[in-house]
Amino acid sequence: MDAEKYMKAALELACEAAVAGETPVGAVVVDKDGHIIGRGRNRTEEKDATCHAEVEAIRDASKGLASWRLEGCSLFVTMEPCPMCAGAAYNARLEAIYYGAREPRAGACGGLFNLFMEPLDRRVKIYGGILEPECRQILSEFFKKKR
């Protein structure tokens, strides 16, 4: 799987989020054949607290497949998922999560803690640091402008 290709697609969505005044996080869901089947970007400022990029991408993929079960699919997200998003990935039956920038304050895939080290009934594979410099840069630039 070409992780950098999919992370670049997620970065494009993160840029859209930044332009909209949202924390620049983007996510895509990729099926086992390598097709992007779900896209999302942060929309918390325009909707509600649950509209994180990961949740948006999972919802989009589920709608396209007409199923909540995303078995064999992977999530690519520019920032390490929070507990809510990691839980959504687990509940959607995603096979793997690929993330860019680590989130030491709220990351649930190793940054603050790792949800998937708990004795759950199935495992989700975690791969971090994909295009991390690019993912971290968009976040840094966004928050510099905010401050």
Side-chain angles (χ1 to χ4, degrees), residues 43-56:
R43 295 181 188 275
T44 56
E45 298 297 330
E46 66 182 69
K47 289 187 178 180
D48 65 53
T50 66
C51 291
H52 288 197
E54 301 94 324
V55 173
E56 294 279 307

Side-chain angles (χ1 to χ4, degrees), residues 18-51:
V19 169
E22 299 278 355
T23 300
V25 179
V28 297
V29 174
V30 177
D31 70 12
K32 63 183 182 321
D33 297 320
H35 300 107
I36 294 175
I37 60 168
R39 298 174 191 276
R41 66 167 179 83
N42 273 7
R43 295 181 188 275
T44 56
E45 298 297 330
E46 66 182 69
K47 289 187 178 180
D48 65 53
T50 66
C51 291

Side-chain angles (χ1 to χ4, degrees), residues 78 101-103 131-141:
T78 57
R102 180 166 265 202
E103 175 39 296
L131 296 182
E132 184 171 9
E134 294 91 332
C135 294
R136 188 160 305 291
Q137 181 180 2
I138 190 171
L139 288 160
S140 295
E141 288 174 5

Side-chain angles (χ1 to χ4, degrees), residues 87-110:
Y90 172 80
N91 285 324
R93 309 288 199 268
L94 286 167
E95 181 177 305
I97 297 171
Y98 295 79
Y99 69 86
R102 180 166 265 202
E103 175 39 296
R105 294 177 303 163
C109 297

Side-chain angles (χ1 to χ4, degrees), residues 1 9 11 20 68 78-79 82 86 91 117 138:
M1 185 166 291
L11 275 164
W68 63 271
T78 57
M79 188 168 75
C82 71
N91 285 324
M117 295 301 291
I138 190 171

